[in-house]
Amino acid sequence: MRYVLFVVPVLDYGIITHPVWAAGACSAQHSSAKGDVSHTAGASSCFQKAEELVVHSRTSPFVASSSVSRLSGAVLKERHLDTLGDVAERLPNVSFTTTTQSNPVIMMRGLGGTEDETSSLYVPFVLDGVPMMSLAMGQIFDLDHMDVTRGPELTKGPNAFGGMVSATSRDPRDKFGGSLDFEYGTGNRRRAVMSNDIPLGRNTALRFTVGGEVADGYISNRLLDRKDTAGWHSWFGRLKLLHKDSAGGEWRVSLHHVLNHGGNDYFATPEMALHHKSDNTSRGTNNNDYWAGSAQYHRMFSRKMIVDVALGGNATKWNFQLPGSVFSARTGFNMPTRQAGGTITLSGSSGTLDWRGGVYGQEMMRDTPYLFDMSPYYLSNTTAVLNNANVAGFAELGWRFSPSWRLVPSFRVEHNQWSMSHWSALQEASVPQSFALLQTLPKQTASRTVPLPGLKLEYHPQTDTGVMQFGWLSYTRAYMPPGFSPHSVMAATAQTPFDASYGNNLEIGYRLHDRKDKWSAEVIGYSNLISNLQVSTSNANGESVVATAAKAHTRGMELSGTVKPISTLALSGFLGLTYAGYDRFVFAGQSFSGQQLNGTPKSSFGFSGTWTPGDGWSVNVNVVRRGRTNLYPSSTLVNDPYVLVDAQIEKKWRWWNIAVYGRNLADARYLTRGLAVGQAVAANPRLLGLRVGVTY
């Protein structure tokens, strides 16, 4: 959001990274349906064995030549990961920034941006194969799994500069049944979710999920003597139809809806925010409403031809109004977004060759008004409509030139056209002298067509030993298109597009896994040299703009492993090292060259343990430490190192289950967003809760 006043010299710049966390053992998830965060080095029970895979239909993270974390639906439910921000805090080298409970922006390996402020999108979010606006996602519910891929992607639909988050909703089952869950926790949080599968025929079934969540929030407003000014109430639901035709095709049609109404009493001085207190004069508004629909088709004609189609779209609306006391003004917007598009992919294999190719297209429209009303002293009212047409063709060819080695060249050609229409800016002031200025612009357009090559070398020895191995070395050309800064208040700034960003990403990785699920290990190193890195900031006039850092880099490594010393105990841990900074960045008369990217800790580590003593009991504990970071988007605010501790005790019977859980048990106090004017948003405090569920 543009929280800066015109003609006020304020700098908001940088990119955030946030906490990192370890995963539990994947084998516990597979055998007991309890689940845990599955990293690429997790137990093989989370993976299909290599000989069971059909090339390019494989879903196993173990044989993915990239850094992927797969979270099962059980993990998301039982770890209480209810938003994308919750997920980001518990994965290596994934982070987020947020101004409210339900509007996180995801970042990976130090790369990310403000999806609400600009036309930039570092990390796309895909739901059932269709790109979504992650800001409006709100509640996460009833997913089969979520894949979080760190690093650029060329052949999986949307172009991903920093990474991609892809979620898949649960399929209907062919038997009648369902579940009902109730939850109560800190902040007077009450949540209920019901899911049900309904067979409609021999080859057709329907699944519906409905739920709601009501909470007072975690802010105590001393001025209003209320504890619900940051509260929310959400309603969410999904219908999904699965049909298997006589020709072997699978049809999936989904309709999703989330409605979230909440207060917006989050911004306060850092001291007050860290103690979850506020003196704002009102609760503000933070309402999200989205509808999404998707249609998917999958058919395997033979090993030589597999067809996958995903088409759909979404309509979202975000109504955001800050309490008037934050800036002594009315500030906010109503931002509707419309997206439609999809991907058609053909893949197959023959002999030592396999291949994959397809086309991707998307059209997006976003209305981006912003009001800053300090009448009668000052008024700024901007309006703009952003449109994007994006078409890409991609292909890769795999050549297994020996039993253990595979070479995979890939190529993507992408065309982007961004336009900004109906831009206008009205400014009025009465002091120190009275003036009124109305500026308008005709339609502005920026387009680019780029070739993006990639190359991977994979090593997967076929041995009879008890250890599975997989290694890779890859190069990917990354790209993020040019665009406009819609919240600029001067025509000269608004009509000047920012340049495209380019990256040259190198990654090397190796995985080892014991076939008996006793242990696993993974090491990944990466380096991304970036030119024209897009950075959200403010110029000397206080306008929110996207600047470009001429040269930047992000490099580091990820170590993770699991061990199962006895059948009832699974342990895992990780170490993350990230060095991300500006090599050459001069803006508004200041040099930021050599500075670490905001919000990016240089080191983080964590561990996790899951104990299943039997008779339906399970206990898990997770700990992560994140290093010192400058806060996004202002480098004047700093998070000192902090530790997050989560735990849960659960008991399951045949039909019933009950769990007691806690998140951030050490009550770590840290910030998720800051403004150069001194306001900040704090992360959630210690949360305790009770969940009761029944399955039928």
Side-chain angles (χ1 to χ4, degrees), residues 176-240:
F176 182 87
S179 63
L180 183 60
D181 290 285
F182 298 94
E183 194 170 327
Y184 183 80
T186 304
N188 198 25
R189 178 175 175 264
R190 293 144 288 165
R191 179 182 176 96
V193 183
M194 181 179 71
S195 298
N196 210 97
D197 297 309
I198 304 174
L200 301 179
R202 184 175 180 181
N203 298 315
T204 307
L206 177 71
R207 181 177 179 85
F208 74 85
T209 299
V210 293
E213 180 175 295
V214 180
D216 292 342
Y218 315 114
I219 302 296
S220 176
N221 189 303
R222 303 183 302 183
L223 182 66
L224 300 177
D225 193 25
R226 293 173 58 180
K227 295 184 178 181
D228 62 350
T229 52
W232 65 91
H233 60 270
S234 300
W235 308 102
F236 44 90
R238 178 181 297 121
L239 286 173
K240 186 170 186 179

Side-chain angles (χ1 to χ4, degrees), residues 119 385-390 414-421 442-449 479-485 494-500 534:
S119 53
V385 176
L386 293 173
N387 294 274
N388 171 242
N390 175 207
E414 177 150 344
H415 173 77
N416 289 89
Q417 178 169 303
W418 277 100
S419 64
M420 184 171 64
S421 58
K443 183 177 181 179
Q444 306 292 308
T445 302
S447 63
R448 190 70 56 89
T449 301
Y479 158 78
M480 194 156 62
F484 295 93
S485 302
Q495 68 183 352
T496 304
F498 51 82
D499 203 358
Q534 296 171 11

